[in-house]
């Protein structure tokens, strides 16, 4: 009796493009997750020059917004565990980019504010992220980019009922 031979996967010069026709490649959640992963990787590569990653950039961006977010608000808005926010704020604080201040709305809580150095870092980082975003979205027209942004806002930031 012959031993069963394992079949080798078919060789393709197209690489993963052959998987584009699978059912998975048409699932909205998969496509959103893949687009996010590719975009984050591109932005992380760009931000590496500033020793930042997308998550720390996000915290810095919100600290520079003038909205004086609390650590709790940062965690909720960025959909991160509060302990992750603490680590990100600690990292930015060590760099002199942000400071923690008592929240006048709730003295038990801290707000995160950007320093002058943080604003300068953010300006440079935002330029890099914008460039990475343009590369990620290069196949879309300006109108399609606006449409995509608006659709994502409706999903990620739904209006209150």
């Amino acid at each position: 009796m012959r031993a069963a031979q394992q079949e080798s996967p078919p060789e393709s010069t197209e690489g993963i493009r052959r998987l584009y026709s699978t059912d998975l490649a048409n699932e909205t959640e998969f496509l959103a997750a893949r687009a996010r992963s590719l975009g984050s990787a591109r932005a992380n590569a760009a931000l590496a020059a500033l020793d930042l990653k997308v998550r720390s950039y996000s915290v810095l961006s919100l600290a520079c917004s003038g909205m004086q977010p609390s650590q709790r608000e940062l965690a909720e808005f960025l959909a991160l565990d509060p302990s992750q926010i603490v680590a990100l704020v600690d990292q930015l604080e060590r760099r002199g980019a942000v400071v923690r201040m008592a929240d006048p709305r709730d003295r038990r809580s801290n707000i995160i504010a950007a320093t002058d150095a943080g604003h300068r870092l953010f300006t440079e980082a935002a330029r890099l992220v914008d460039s990475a975003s343009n590369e990620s979205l290069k196949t879309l027209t300006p109108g399609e980019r606006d449409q995509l942004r608006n659709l994502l806002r409706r999903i990620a930031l739904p209006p209150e009922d």
Side-chain angles (χ1 to χ4, degrees), residues 5-6 8 12 55 64-65 73 78 88 91 99 110 116 123 134 140:
Q5 291 182 350
Q6 280 189 316
S8 299
S12 172
R55 286 182 173 183
C64 288
S65 71
E73 289 170 325
L78 297 175
L88 292 167
Q91 175 195 35
V99 293
N110 287 320
D116 289 342
T123 298
N134 284 333
L140 302 180

Side-chain angles (χ1 to χ4, degrees), residues 28-141:
T28 302
E29 292 298 330
F30 167 77
L31 291 169
R34 181 164 165 79
R36 176 180 180 261
S37 179
L38 293 171
S40 290
R42 185 170 278 122
N44 280 336
L47 289 168
L50 300 176
D51 195 27
L52 291 173
K53 291 193 174 192
V54 169
R55 286 182 173 183
S56 53
Y57 167 80
S58 298
V59 170
L60 181 60
S61 176
L62 291 169
C64 288
S65 71
M67 300 295 293
Q68 298 185 323
S70 69
Q71 287 183 204
R72 186 176 306 118
E73 289 170 325
L74 290 172
E76 188 175 342
F77 187 74
L78 297 175
L80 295 174
D81 187 85
S83 65
Q84 292 173 302
I85 293 298
V86 169
L88 292 167
V89 171
D90 285 348
Q91 175 195 35
L92 291 168
E93 194 173 42
R94 281 191 300 274
R95 291 182 71 167
V98 300
V99 293
R100 288 178 170 96
M101 301 184 312
D103 186 343
R105 301 165 292 189
D106 179 357
R107 290 287 192 186
R108 299 167 295 171
S109 184
N110 287 320
I111 59 172
I112 308 304
T115 63
D116 289 342
H119 282 282
R120 288 190 299 275
L121 178 61
F122 172 70
T123 298
E124 203 173 334
R127 183 182 50 76
L128 295 172
V129 168
D130 187 53
S131 178
S133 180
N134 284 333
E135 181 63 24
S136 292
L137 301 175
K138 69 183 177 186
T139 62
L140 302 180
T141 67

